Amino acid sequence: MEAQNFESRKHLLEYDDVMNKQREAVYGLRRQLLEGVEQKELILEDYVGGILSGILDEFAPEKAHPDQWNLKGLEEKLMDTSGWSTHR
């Protein structure tokens, strides 16, 4: 029973650590915005850059040959993420 309680507390602490890191990131971004950091630069470089990097890693990995890239999936993901549509 003691081992089970220990594991439960351990998982709760790990979860709390993740939540704390996320909280620090959100409050850090909030602080920068309130301090007047250039919002366009902050959003484009950090937020949009991170999203695009993740999408490219998923559909067109750097180590894969261009013939192996999933360009159709990349296009669909970019359209879904951005809200843009090639169909009018």
Side-chain angles (χ1 to χ4, degrees):
M1 186 64 149
E2 185 66 31
Q4 184 179 1
N5 289 339
F6 176 78
E7 285 298 316
S8 295
R9 288 190 303 268
K10 180 181 172 187
H11 288 296
L12 182 61
L13 183 60
E14 291 169 353
Y15 175 77
D16 188 52
D17 286 343
V18 170
M19 291 297 296
N20 192 45
K21 288 178 184 175
Q22 291 175 346
R23 191 178 305 111
E24 288 174 358
V26 168
Y27 283 121
L29 176 59
R30 179 181 177 267
R31 187 178 327 102
Q32 287 179 320
L33 293 173
L34 290 172
E35 290 173 351
V37 172
E38 179 61 38
Q39 294 177 17
K40 180 180 177 183
E41 179 180 318
L42 184 67
I43 291 170
L44 286 177
E45 288 183 8
D46 292 345
Y47 185 69
V48 175
I51 290 172
L52 289 175
S53 178
I55 292 172
L56 286 172
D57 286 345
E58 181 179 352
F59 293 97
E62 189 175 344
K63 293 183 180 181
H65 190 273
D67 292 342
Q68 298 173 317
W69 293 351
N70 179 356
L71 297 179
K72 180 70 175 160
L74 176 62
E75 179 184 14
E76 289 174 3
K77 183 69 170 188
L78 289 173
M79 295 301 137
D80 289 345
T81 302
S82 67
W84 296 332
S85 175
T86 57
H87 308 289
R88 294 194 181 217

